[in-house]
Amino acid sequence: MGQWAALARQRAPGGSATTAPNLGEKVYVRVTVGDPFGAYDITTVPFTIDAPGTASDVSATLTVANVVETTAATKTYQYVWTAGSIEGPVTISATAKEGYENTITSSKSAIVTLSSLALGTPGFATFTTGSNGTDTT
């Protein structure tokens, strides 16, 4: 059973992948799981998001309600996550479960980095009515 995890900036099926979401940005965690017996054999995907601090950490299980794409041998799950407000590394870990017994598993982790959106240096401008004149309003 193979799988991969990624973050995207738009809801499936679109969106470009990102490894550096901005603080507070809404991103879509996608986990694609493949099974040689077929997609029907993939049951759930428990996953965690461990971000700096604890406010934006997640521990959840992706189920059929989270499936956004299915092929004969794969399922792609999606979870909407709002990135936290502290810069630093974020670890996303997922464990796909297979079969009725849920005893066959495959795990994958990915690390992304939360960063501030560079908006430049704040400043201001004052307009005057002439050389060294009074400020306009």
Side-chain angles (χ1 to χ4, degrees), residues 70-93:
T70 302
T71 68
T74 66
K75 284 184 184 177
T76 299
Y77 297 82
Q78 180 172 270
Y79 181 85
V80 181
W81 178 61
T82 300
S85 60
I86 302 172
E87 289 185 329
V90 176
T91 302
I92 302 168
S93 301

Side-chain angles (χ1 to χ4, degrees), residues 4-74:
W4 58 268
L7 286 180
R9 289 200 156 105
Q10 292 176 339
R11 179 177 306 278
S16 58
T18 181
T19 57
N22 297 311
L23 298 178
E25 181 179 9
K26 182 194 301 186
V27 291
Y28 299 86
V29 179
R30 293 195 193 132
V31 179
T32 299
V33 182
D35 187 318
F37 295 110
Y40 71 90
D41 203 36
I42 303 163
T43 55
T44 60
V45 181
F47 82 105
T48 59
I49 299 174
D50 183 15
T54 58
S56 60
D57 288 356
V58 173
S59 180
T61 298
L62 302 174
T63 65
V64 69
N66 303 99
V67 174
V68 293
E69 184 178 356
T70 302
T71 68
T74 66

